[in-house]
Amino acid sequence: MASNTVTITIRGHHRPFRLGATLGQSLIDIADLQAHEQLLLDVNTEVDIPVAPGDAMIISGGEVFVVGDGSPVVEDNPRVLRPVRFQINGAEVPT
């Protein structure tokens, strides 16, 4: 496996994927969703996070994506129990 390739899991299958920034649509394409299904980033002990086509994500390897049946649809930006704190231009982004 090339050094710029990592492994992610989608629908229970390990797949090679390029390291770094990607759009949600790239992951959705790999998941081969049906019309009613929704791709979710599986976050351990947290609410799974929906992946929209225009979402920008940093893939570092080891991410697990599951497919929900879309009933009910998981809303964008679910409130997580232990949010990740980060800064943009030196200012902390509120969670």
Side-chain angles (χ1 to χ4, degrees), residues 66-94:
V66 296
V67 175
D69 64 8
S71 179
V73 170
V74 177
E75 307 254 342
D76 284 343
N77 301 316
R79 189 137 185 89
V80 294
L81 301 173
R82 289 178 297 284
V84 174
R85 306 227 181 268
F86 63 96
Q87 295 181 356
I88 296 179
N89 294 332
E92 186 165 313
V93 175

Side-chain angles (χ1 to χ4, degrees), residues 8-31:
I8 62 174
T9 303
I10 296 182
R11 286 189 182 264
H13 299 285
H14 301 296
R15 300 179 178 271
F17 199 82
R18 69 186 173 283
L19 178 68
T22 192
L23 288 177
Q25 186 64 55
S26 298
L27 299 162
I28 290 168
D29 290 344
I30 293 171

Side-chain angles (χ1 to χ4, degrees), residues 41-57:
L41 174 62
D42 186 13
V43 182
N44 238 353
T45 70
E46 283 285 0
V47 176
D48 291 347
I49 299 173
V51 177
D55 286 348
M57 303 180 78

